[in-house]
Amino acid sequence: MGTVDQWVSAPARIADPDEGISVDELRLAARNHGMPLEALRYDVTPPGLHYLLTHYDIPALDPADWRLTVSGAVTRPLSLSLADLRIRPRVTRRVTLECAGNGRARLLPRPVSQPWLDEAVGTAEWTGTPLAAVLAEAGVAATAVDVAFTGADHGIERGVEQDYRRGLTLAEAMRDDVLLVDEMNGAPLLPQHGAPVRLIVPGWYGMAQVKWLVGIEVLETEFDGYQNVTSYRVKQEPDEPGEPVTRIMPKALIQPPGVPDFQSRVRVVDHGPVVLTGRAWSGWAPVDAVEISIDDGAGWRPAELGPQPAPYAWRSWRCRWDAVPGRYELRARARDAAGNEQPVGPAWNRQGMANNHAQRVTVVVR
Amino acid sequence: MGTVDQWVSAPARIADPDEGISVDELRLAARNHGMPLEALRYDVTPPGLHYLLTHYDIPALDPADWRLTVSGAVTRPLSLSLADLRIRPRVTRRVTLECAGNGRARLLPRPVSQPWLDEAVGTAEWTGTPLAAVLAEAGVAATAVDVAFTGADHGIERGVEQDYRRGLTLAEAMRDDVLLVDEMNGAPLLPQHGAPVRLIVPGWYGMAQVKWLVGIEVLETEFDGYQNVTSYRVKQEPDEPGEPVTRIMPKALIQPPGVPDFQSRVRVVDHGPVVLTGRAWSGWAPVDAVEISIDDGAGWRPAELGPQPAPYAWRSWRCRWDAVPGRYELRARARDAAGNEQPVGPAWNRQGMANNHAQRVTVVVR
């Protein structure tokens, strides 16, 4: 990149404590939209309302020309067309996806990147074919360690030019619920969701769900690409290696009750009985408890849980509230069956990753 | 609203000159997304990539229960079901829509509202039935002046609680290309685009394209509702009435060439011949010229125009550029057949409306 660097790609940084959102961050927010929170009403998120994070540009891939190569430490390298994939056994799984950076713009000080508030989430019915059988057909070497997945999206990030590429351990890649997906909610994948084919790794944050998939490489050493080793790490200092971001931490979201103000999005609710509703999910285990606070976390009451529709899909909850006039800060928190509890306040890390502090919904009861 | 006001809904304001984007503005940007600019490659914008602006919440309407009432100064008030509308003559029109607030966040000082940069645009194939025939069936009174359109979305804006409601003059409402639409790109309207039925007024900014339409009222006096009289006005001072926002001013956008940096979205282009491409549109008349600058507006070269696919749909353009290493600020400007010319710099107004200053795309050629 040479001297091009300084004009193009700045190092990661933390905003000053009183620094507003920059135009660079806003430009990302205008492209990479969240799910409007009233869409928590849908069991399955309609097209266009699911959150979206594209690292570079949405590529223009022609499904007729598209090929998926399976290479590296395999006995029989493969090159598959879309038709080759579609004649394989097909499975549909309902899976909730969340961006690992969700909640980042709530942190103080704020890591400068895609500035998510609470809404980088969505649930879809994903249809495709199990990855494990494709890897088995290629014949994975006994010495294999990791599998690297390459997308067709290409760009520069913190000075490093790259195709978007992520690695998984072989054990994770061989899970029977990991899919090569070409349909979302019963229709061919939309361009922005990875058409023609993407990876779905249920339970993991969005960075593992590689879109516009064109290459699968079986590796005999640990994958050391940018998106695993530099990005998507939980760390406090710029030079420490940090911990990798993996599965989705438990979270509950409240569907904002009543009606909104246009600018502040504060909610106005008529006094009387209100049924608060929302969704909760975790990538570690099913959610087994949701609690609601109407006083910004001072007191908590249990919510009633709806059925768990699939192992890694969000679960509905509801909670009655006898609303009395005044101003309230509603919070929700989830706990999963693996014992992970959602914290009320944020745990800061310098990339703003895997943050599951409790959403706050301001409500005025009249 | 009484004392609830102060907690909910603040008056419109202008940001301080050095004030970053606020969390309130970011929250709107996370809901109301733009069209990622690489989607300028598509003649018709795929679902989920079209821009979206929702004043309040996306309502949950059941198409089976939905009714559209036609009332006011008519001989035969109507109450139409979706089936009633769908058996009427059907027309498909390709129309480009743009938010009247597009470009607002580029203004200095910045009006505080939905903070659009350049991307609040999209083009779709809209299918429905002509409004004029429905009005004719209802029997519009000879004394009629305006027609008011009510959406099912409800909220509070600058202290005024309201259903979203917009008026059109009777003459505009009776244009033969104004449609009651229930399909977008050949599929039923998505919830966020106004399901089950919305209004499409080709050539006008988005505020006229009332979504979640439930009421049409023929008026014998000029419509004086909030969205016509208070919002969507071009004005310099808070207390002046200002001029109404109506049709879309001419604009050209450049599909950003090369590959992006993740954070800055600066483009990196390899030196040599480059074909710049993009789209241009106007709500006043077809675009008849697009010019491109590679030096931030100092010099201009003509672009070659593609065909005009429909009267109010964007038109493609292309322009060859022999790219030599260096840093460039690309600009594009359009002129329409009615003689409207796109300005390079912004014309400030206090609501940031109808601003069509020229987009700037920063490119580094290597």
Side-chain angles (χ1 to χ4, degrees):
Chain A
M1 302 269 306
T3 58
V4 162
D5 259 5
Q6 59 181 318
W7 289 329
V8 172
S9 202
R13 73 179 187 91
I14 308 298
D16 292 334
D18 58 352
E19 182 185 329
I21 311 291
S22 66
V23 170
D24 272 11
E25 291 166 286
L26 177 61
R27 198 186 291 108
L28 288 173
R31 296 175 50 77
N32 296 315
H33 64 86
M35 184 188 75
L37 294 176
E38 64 270 34
L40 287 164
R41 76 167 72 102
Y42 302 109
D43 292 333
V44 173
T45 310
L49 293 180
H50 196 287
Y51 96 92
L52 192 65
L53 189 285
T54 305
H55 276 244
Y56 313 119
D57 282 0
I58 298 165
L61 300 180
D62 181 346
D65 293 343
W66 175 88
R67 307 291 294 189
L68 174 64
T69 61
V70 183
S71 64
V74 295
T75 319
R76 293 169 295 277
L78 304 175
S79 171
L80 303 169
S81 69
L82 186 56
D84 294 337
L85 272 187
R86 289 181 58 90
I87 57 171
R88 301 181 70 91
R90 291 180 78 71
V91 178
T92 297
R93 291 189 190 283
R94 187 181 300 183
V95 178
T96 296
L97 299 186
E98 182 180 8
C99 185
N102 203 9
R104 179 183 290 127
R106 300 275 188 207
L107 298 183
L108 273 176
R110 183 180 76 252
V112 175
S113 182
Q114 165 69 32
W116 293 122
L117 294 167
D118 303 301
E119 57 290 274
V121 66
T123 295
E125 301 272 3
W126 303 100
T127 301
T129 197
L131 170 64
V134 171
L135 288 174
E137 185 173 317
V140 173
T143 50
V145 172
D146 274 3
V147 183
F149 299 87
T150 303
D153 47 331
H154 185 93
I156 297 157
E157 200 163 341
R158 315 295 182 205
V160 180
E161 185 165 356
Q162 57 193 287
D163 295 328
Y164 187 84
R165 198 159 190 243
R166 276 281 305 185
L168 274 182
T169 64
L170 180 64
E172 203 72 25
M174 292 298 287
R175 278 170 47 191
D176 66 4
D177 56 357
V178 172
L179 298 179
L180 300 172
V181 157
D182 62 283
E183 290 187 326
M184 180 182 183
N185 297 351
L189 282 182
L190 292 165
Q192 67 271 32
H193 288 296
V197 174
R198 71 178 300 172
L199 186 66
I200 289 290
V201 185
W204 283 55
Y205 281 114
M207 76 281 156
Q209 323 291 335
V210 179
K211 298 193 286 284
W212 312 294
L213 190 66
V214 291
I216 298 174
E217 188 182 4
V218 177
L219 303 174
E220 292 172 293
T221 54
E222 204 170 325
F223 178 71
D224 63 355
Y226 179 93
Q227 299 296 343
N228 282 61
V229 171
T230 302
S231 189
Y232 295 110
R233 308 292 287 197
V234 175
K235 56 187 179 180
Q236 300 296 318
E237 300 299 332
D239 296 330
E240 63 165 315
E243 290 298 316
V245 178
T246 60
R247 287 171 181 258
I248 301 174
M249 299 301 290
K251 186 177 282 182
L253 284 180
I254 301 164
Q255 181 182 334
V259 299
D261 176 67
F262 170 76
Q263 181 73 45
S264 68
R265 301 295 302 171
V266 167
R267 314 297 302 195
V268 175
V269 169
D270 293 330
H271 71 90
V274 174
V275 180
L276 299 171
T277 60
R279 307 276 172 178
W281 63 92
S282 167
W284 295 95
V287 165
D288 66 3
V290 171
E291 290 180 307
I292 307 303
S293 172
I294 60 162
D295 51 12
D296 206 15
W300 295 88
R301 59 185 78 187
E304 180 189 339
L305 291 174
Q308 179 76 40
Y312 297 102
W314 61 25
R315 186 167 190 177
S316 66
W317 58 260
R318 48 188 285 143
C319 182
R320 294 188 68 87
W321 174 35
D322 193 22
V324 173
R327 186 180 194 276
Y328 299 86
E329 301 290 345
L330 308 187
R331 317 290 296 260
R333 66 181 181 192
R335 190 188 66 203
D336 69 25
N340 299 297
E341 296 196 19
Q342 185 181 352
V344 176
W348 193 89
N349 63 79
R350 68 176 296 116
Q351 296 183 336
M353 294 293 179
N355 203 296
N356 63 333
H357 65 274
Q359 172 201 20
R360 178 184 276 121
V361 177
T362 304
V363 172
V364 172
V365 177
R366 62 180 176 188
Chain B
M1 302 271 305
T3 56
V4 162
D5 259 7
Q6 58 180 320
W7 289 329
V8 172
S9 199
R13 72 179 189 92
I14 309 298
D16 292 334
D18 59 351
E19 182 185 329
I21 311 291
S22 65
V23 170
D24 272 11
E25 291 166 285
L26 177 62
R27 199 187 289 107
L28 287 173
R31 295 175 50 78
N32 295 315
H33 65 85
M35 184 189 74
L37 293 175
E38 64 270 34
L40 286 164
R41 74 166 73 103
Y42 303 109
D43 292 334
V44 173
T45 311
L49 293 179
H50 196 289
Y51 95 92
L52 192 65
L53 188 285
T54 305
H55 276 245
Y56 314 120
D57 281 1
I58 298 166
L61 300 180
D62 181 347
D65 293 343
W66 176 89
R67 307 292 293 190
L68 174 62
T69 61
V70 184
S71 63
V74 294
T75 319
R76 293 171 293 278
L78 304 175
S79 172
L80 303 170
S81 69
L82 186 56
D84 294 337
L85 272 187
R86 289 182 58 91
I87 58 170
R88 301 182 70 91
R90 290 180 78 71
V91 178
T92 297
R93 292 190 189 281
R94 187 181 301 184
V95 177
T96 295
L97 299 186
E98 183 179 8
C99 184
N102 204 9
R104 178 183 289 127
R106 300 277 189 207
L107 298 183
L108 275 176
R110 181 180 77 252
V112 175
S113 181
Q114 164 69 32
W116 293 122
L117 295 167
D118 302 302
E119 57 291 274
V121 67
T123 296
E125 301 272 4
W126 302 101
T127 300
T129 197
L131 170 65
V134 172
L135 289 174
E137 186 174 319
V140 173
T143 49
V145 172
D146 274 4
V147 183
F149 299 88
T150 303
D153 47 331
H154 185 92
I156 298 157
E157 200 163 341
R158 315 296 182 205
V160 181
E161 185 164 356
Q162 56 193 288
D163 294 328
Y164 187 84
R165 198 159 189 244
R166 277 281 304 185
L168 274 183
T169 64
L170 180 64
E172 203 71 26
M174 292 297 289
R175 280 170 45 190
D176 67 3
D177 56 357
V178 172
L179 299 179
L180 300 174
V181 158
D182 62 283
E183 290 188 325
M184 180 182 184
N185 298 351
L189 283 181
L190 292 164
Q192 67 270 34
H193 288 295
V197 174
R198 70 178 300 172
L199 186 66
I200 290 290
V201 185
W204 284 56
Y205 280 114
M207 76 281 155
Q209 324 290 336
V210 179
K211 299 192 283 283
W212 312 294
L213 189 65
V214 291
I216 298 175
E217 187 183 6
V218 178
L219 303 174
E220 293 172 293
T221 55
E222 203 169 325
F223 177 72
D224 62 356
Y226 179 93
Q227 299 295 343
N228 281 61
V229 169
T230 304
S231 189
Y232 295 110
R233 308 292 287 196
V234 175
K235 55 186 179 180
Q236 299 296 317
E237 300 299 333
D239 296 330
E240 64 165 315
E243 291 297 316
V245 178
T246 60
R247 286 172 182 260
I248 301 174
M249 299 301 290
K251 186 177 282 184
L253 285 180
I254 302 164
Q255 182 182 333
V259 299
D261 176 68
F262 170 77
Q263 180 74 44
S264 68
R265 300 294 302 171
V266 168
R267 314 297 301 195
V268 175
V269 169
D270 292 331
H271 71 89
V274 175
V275 180
L276 298 172
T277 59
R279 307 276 171 176
W281 63 92
S282 167
W284 295 95
V287 165
D288 66 3
V290 170
E291 291 180 306
I292 306 303
S293 173
I294 60 162
D295 51 11
D296 207 14
W300 295 89
R301 59 185 75 186
E304 180 189 338
L305 291 174
Q308 179 77 40
Y312 297 102
W314 60 24
R315 187 167 190 177
S316 66
W317 58 260
R318 47 189 285 144
C319 182
R320 293 188 67 87
W321 174 34
D322 192 24
V324 173
R327 185 180 194 278
Y328 300 87
E329 301 290 346
L330 308 187
R331 316 291 296 262
R333 66 180 180 192
R335 191 188 66 204
D336 70 26
N340 299 297
E341 296 195 19
Q342 186 182 351
V344 176
W348 192 89
N349 64 77
R350 67 177 295 118
Q351 295 184 335
M353 294 292 180
N355 203 297
N356 65 333
H357 66 272
Q359 171 201 23
R360 180 183 276 120
V361 178
T362 303
V363 172
V364 172
V365 177
R366 61 181 174 188

